[in-house]
Amino acid sequence: NNLSQSLNYFGKTEKNSFEPTNLSQLIYETQELLRGNQQFNSSIQIKLDIEPNVMVFANAQMLIQVLLNLSLNAIDAVKGASHPTIKFHLFTDSTTKVILDFNDNGTGIGAADVQHLFDPFFTTKDSGTGLGLSIVHQIISDHQGSISLHNTDDSGTTFRLVLPKLLRPKKILEFSHDY
């Protein structure tokens, strides 16, 4: 069932349902969804370091799917950590870009696996479909953004998502045609 849902989602993008979206709020909502997930262990600490009201032009449900997929991978990765932690760090680096660093303090990703992370059906899990990061990559691409493995070692992994910032339109001046 999970495989069917993932394949169905992988092929779908509803570009016409993009709208101004508060990414900061979506991160708060995802945190609440995580706490209610059966895979979530209450010993996992979620840290939020996010700028308030960061706006992007997006499909909110698709971005929640991205945040959940990354979070569920992180939950698996931090299972053996003494102080399991997942951190969302959202900031803007200029007037046009929004950056979300998603970090866990798990075991890291093996060097041989890094080049295949976003390949469909690639998995290192016994029960995984290998579509989670492929879907994440597709969704972020559909949002005119990028995702990369920013860091990985035995102290954890950081994925970096970069999205275009929603720019507020400048006030349009109306001119009279009377001369």
Side-chain angles (χ1 to χ4, degrees), residues 13 37 71 76 83 107 128 132 146 169:
T13 303
N37 186 292
S71 298
D76 283 343
H83 299 291
T107 55
S146 65

Side-chain angles (χ1 to χ4, degrees), residues 19 71 96 101 110 135 140 158 160:
E19 60 188 15
S71 298
T96 61
D101 283 344
I135 290 170
I140 295 301
T158 302
R160 175 164 281 182

Side-chain angles (χ1 to χ4, degrees), residues 6-7 24 29-30 53 59 62-63 68 94-95 106-107 109 116 128 137 144 151 164 167 169 174:
S6 294
L7 284 170
S24 306
E29 290 174 16
T30 300
N53 300 314
N59 179 305
M62 293 170 96
L63 287 186
L68 286 175
S94 69
T95 57
T107 55
I109 298 169
H116 300 291
H137 186 270
Q144 307 304 310
N151 182 50
L167 302 176
E174 293 182 18

Side-chain angles (χ1 to χ4, degrees), residues 84-116:
T85 305
I86 299 170
K87 181 177 180 183
F88 295 85
H89 178 64
L90 177 66
F91 60 100
T92 55
D93 78 338
S94 69
T95 57
T96 61
K97 293 193 188 314
V98 170
I99 298 172
L100 173 60
D101 283 344
F102 184 86
N103 175 265
D104 68 63
N105 67 340
T107 55
I109 298 169
D113 298 333
V114 168
Q115 65 183 347
H116 300 291

Side-chain angles (χ1 to χ4, degrees), residues 1-13 62 65 69 119-122 128-136 138-139 142:
N1 188 30
N2 285 342
L3 179 60
S4 294
Q5 286 177 338
S6 294
L7 284 170
N8 188 33
Y9 193 84
F10 190 63
K12 256 191 218 177
T13 303
M62 293 170 96
Q65 181 69 47
N69 283 6
D119 293 349
F121 304 108
F122 175 78
T129 63
L131 289 174
L133 287 176
S134 296
I135 290 170
V136 165
Q138 182 64 50
I139 291 171
D142 289 344

